Amino acid sequence: MGTLVPIHLVMLPMGLGLLAELAGWLLLTGAAPLQAGWYGSPYLLLGVHLVVIGGLLWPVIGAGWQLTPVVTTRPLPAAAHRVAGLVGPSAVLGAALLWVGMAGAIWIGALGASLLILSLLSRSLMVVPLLIRSSGRLGVRVWLLSAELALWGGLAYAALLYLGRLGYPLLGNLLFSDPISGVGHHVALLAAGWVGGWELGLASLLLPMFALGREPPAGPLVLAALLWYSGIALSLPPLWAGGGLLMVLLLGRSLFGAARGLRAAGPGLLQAALALLGLLGAAIGGASGLFPPHAVVAGIFVLWLLPLQHGVASRVLPFLLWSQLLAGRSRVPASSLVDSRLVWAQAGATGIGGLTLVLGLVREAEGLARMGAAGLAAGALLHLLSVAGAGARTFVAWRSAVALPGTSSEPS
């Protein structure tokens, strides 16, 4: 409880991210997932970045402020609170302007890209020293620090790509001969490197906690990070896949080694466990070369990153709301704040939609891919409803808890 941060630092980027993810999938449902020359397709580019920035990037920003103190076992310093109060709104504004740029107003997008990059760098420069100076949980911290290094590289590629979009490709030509090559590095560093690194690093802490299992030992975690990030840096998918396989085994041992806890954990943890299988499938697809690269990239997002984040959020957010507003005030348990039926439905829609989208890309069946995007939009909507419902139940319980005796808000 001593490591709690003000709830608005967490909920502003995470809550708005739910809306952006839904908007992105709705846009992609109407776009052409298999359209040739997608890099120059404004609506497809916009839809992808709505999902990625809203559904993945913003939640890492928000959840990171709360979970960094959990990793370091120290409260955030006052300076970090001030930085966090600026980073969230500036990242939201920067992303909004960037999306406007992707829809056509490219110079407005340049302003947004600059603001978003500066926001992420400011956040990183605050978080990295906190991770370095702490002790314990070496494996988790190695994953998170490596993820921050990947962030810096990914943002550099993002800036070069946008310069090329503005008509200044000279700097980009020093690193890659065509935009698609640069996009590949950009995606690898930011998706698998930064978002994936934070997800796997925190999963090695949170999943055993939820499943009543043991945290993976530090040595294998460090080895997995070395394989993972070496593969990304050297553009060697088999090396990256080896790190992913080791992490799946480590996290699977933590989950299934405590079968009693897993059976009682509910849909959120089961979705997170299935997301590990999605990571395994994406790793095998990337290392073997049996599937088209764009299908492997889609699999990374829709079979691993998003399902893992949805599953963990369905467990973390209710507890966070309870601890911030109800602890010591109400007997309402944290587990009752979320409707498990909505979480089950969300997990099903997200899982089926993700599988259908990837299958459509592999088979070059555009109709099937569109159906998958629609299923993912349904999953995003159900995830939004489950989080909003948890917030509404928390407010009702809090209002009853703080009501004066005899007032209408006191339960009868």
Side-chain angles (χ1 to χ4, degrees), residues 185 188 224-243:
H185 293 297
L226 179 62
L227 292 171
W228 182 275
Y229 285 102
S230 296
I232 292 174
L234 300 174
S235 298
L236 294 175
L239 202 57
W240 166 77

Side-chain angles (χ1 to χ4, degrees), residues 250-265:
L250 290 171
L251 294 176
R253 178 177 176 271
S254 296
L255 286 173
F256 295 100
R260 181 187 69 259
L262 184 60
R263 284 198 301 269

